[in-house]
C-alpha cells in the first residue's frame, strides 16, 4: 500500500516500507491527479473526504467577499489538506487550494478514517496531535494578522524566532510578504529601515537583534 496513507500513525512512522507492507494495514481510498495551476478545492466546498497530498506542491489562499486574496501557506507532499475540518459541523474548505506543480491526491472517506481510528490507537493519537498542531499554526497566523503595521508584524515574527539574540526568517522575502499579506517592496523597505535604525542586523534571511526594547516597543 501507499505508506502516505499511514501519515498520521505514530506506530508506523519509524517503520520501513517493508515493515509497513508486512502489517498489511489497508485504508479504502481513491486517487486523483491534478495539473500545475489546476484548482484542487474551492473555498467553501464541502469536505466529504480527507485530501492527502501525496505528490507535488500546493498553495492555499483565502479570498474575501471583496475579492482580496491572502496567501495562507505553501504545502509540500506528503501532507493532509484541511484535515481539521472533516469532522466539523460546517465541514467546508476554509481556503482555495491550487496545484503549484503536478500533484497526486489520495481521497479517504470520513467513514474509513473512523474505522482506522477505532482499530489503531497510533492512528488516532497521530490524527489528534496533527489537529492540535494545526490549531497552533492558525493561532500564529491570527496573531500575525492582528498586528497593525508592517514593522509590528516583523517585530512579532522576529521575537517568536529569537534564538539567544539571533533569528532566521525561514522564508524568502517574497514568501514572507505573502504570509503577512503585504507588498514585497513595502516589507523590504521596513526591514531596511529597522536595520538602518540599529534595531536589527539582517542579511540573506538571517539576522541579529541589537535593541530588544525598541523591537518590543514596536508591538505597542
Amino acid at each position: 500500500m501507499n505508506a502516505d496513507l499511514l501519515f498520521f500513525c505514530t506506530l508506523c512512522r519509524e517503520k520501513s516500507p517493508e515493515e509497513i507492507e508486512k502489517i498489511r494495514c489497508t485504508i479504502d481510498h481513491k486517487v486523483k491527479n491534478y495539473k500545475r495551476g489546476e484548482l484542487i478545492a474551492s473555498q467553501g466546498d464541502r469536505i466529504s473526504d480527507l485530501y492527502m497530498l501525496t505528490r507535488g506542491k500546493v498553495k492555499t489562499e483565502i479570498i474575501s467577499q471583496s475579492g482580496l486574496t491572502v496567501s495562507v501557506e505553501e504545502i509540500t507532499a506528503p501532507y493532509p489538506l484541511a484535515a481539521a475540518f472533516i469532522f466539523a459541523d460546517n465541514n467546508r474548505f476554509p481556503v482555495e487550494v491550487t496545484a503549484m506543480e503536478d500533484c497526486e491526491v489520495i481521497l479517504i472517506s470520513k467513514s474509513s478514517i473512523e474505522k482506522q481510528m477505532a482499530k489503531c490507537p497510533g492512528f488516532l493519537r497521530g490524527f489528534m496531535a496533527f489537529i492540535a498542531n494545526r490549531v497552533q499554526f492558525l493561532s500564529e497566523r491570527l496573531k500575525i494578522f492582528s498586528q497593525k503595521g508592517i514593522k509590528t508584524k516583523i517585530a512579532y515574527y522576529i521575537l517568536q524566532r529569537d534564538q539567544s539574540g539571533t533569528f532566521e526568517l525561514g522564508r524568502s522575502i517574497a514568501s514572507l510578504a505573502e504570509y503577512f499579506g503585504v507588498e514585497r517592496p513595502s516589507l523590504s523597505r521596513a526591514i531596511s529601515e529597522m536595520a538602518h535604525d540599529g534595531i536589527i542586523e539582517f542579511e540573506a534571511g538571517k539576522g541579529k537583534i541589537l535593541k530588544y526594547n525598541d523591537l518590543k516597543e514596536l508591538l505597542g
Side-chain angles (χ1 to χ4, degrees):
M1 68 177 294
N2 189 323
D4 293 328
L5 286 169
L6 301 177
F7 174 91
F8 296 108
C9 187
T10 56
L11 299 176
C12 293
R13 287 175 186 167
E14 304 302 322
K15 297 182 183 297
S16 67
E18 292 76 18
E19 289 175 314
I20 292 175
E21 186 65 30
K22 290 179 181 178
I23 297 174
R24 299 192 180 283
C25 181
T26 60
I27 303 175
D28 291 336
H29 65 280
K30 297 178 291 186
V31 179
K32 293 191 70 174
N33 292 284
Y34 298 87
K35 297 292 185 182
R36 179 181 179 182
E38 191 173 354
L39 188 66
I40 295 175
S42 294
Q43 182 177 320
D45 282 354
R46 189 169 294 281
I47 304 173
S48 55
D49 300 288
L50 172 67
Y51 283 56
M52 173 66 73
L53 179 68
T54 53
R55 178 170 55 83
K57 184 177 182 180
V58 303
K59 63 178 179 180
T60 61
E61 300 169 315
I62 293 175
I63 303 176
S64 68
Q65 291 183 344
S66 63
L68 176 66
T69 299
V70 178
S71 174
V72 178
E73 62 179 326
E74 295 179 0
I75 299 173
T76 302
Y79 207 80
L81 307 175
F85 293 86
I86 192 168
F87 290 106
D89 291 334
N90 184 22
N91 57 335
R92 297 180 182 276
F93 270 95
V95 294
E96 201 101 330
V97 184
T98 306
M100 299 181 69
E101 54 193 45
D102 290 352
C103 294
E104 178 187 81
V105 175
I106 289 177
L107 304 180
I108 310 171
S109 70
K110 181 178 177 179
S111 60
S112 293
I113 293 174
E114 292 172 336
K115 290 177 183 177
Q116 190 67 19
M117 287 178 172
K119 71 179 183 181
C120 180
F123 187 93
L124 175 60
R125 285 195 298 269
F127 193 94
M128 293 175 65
F130 177 83
I131 299 305
N133 291 334
R134 292 302 294 170
V135 170
Q136 288 181 331
F137 170 81
L138 293 173
S139 175
E140 174 77 4
R141 291 307 309 274
L142 288 174
K143 289 178 182 177
I144 287 290
F145 280 119
S146 69
Q147 307 302 320
K148 297 181 179 179
I150 298 177
K151 288 184 181 179
T152 304
K153 294 180 189 293
I154 296 169
Y156 177 83
Y157 189 85
I158 288 174
L159 287 170
Q160 292 298 304
R161 284 150 186 78
D162 175 26
Q163 298 289 332
S164 301
T166 63
F167 64 89
E168 292 187 25
L169 293 185
R171 299 169 177 266
S172 67
I173 294 297
S175 175
L176 191 62
E178 288 189 1
Y179 184 73
F180 286 170
V182 302
E183 297 294 329
R184 178 180 176 180
S186 299
L187 177 61
S188 296
R189 182 167 57 253
I191 292 176
S192 296
E193 289 174 356
M194 291 171 68
H196 181 267
D197 292 340
I199 300 175
I200 60 172
E201 286 182 356
F202 182 76
E203 185 176 0
K206 299 180 180 181
K208 181 185 296 185
I209 300 174
L210 302 178
K211 297 179 180 177
Y212 269 98
N213 289 338
D214 287 13
L215 197 62
K216 291 177 180 178
E217 284 178 5
L218 288 171
L219 300 180

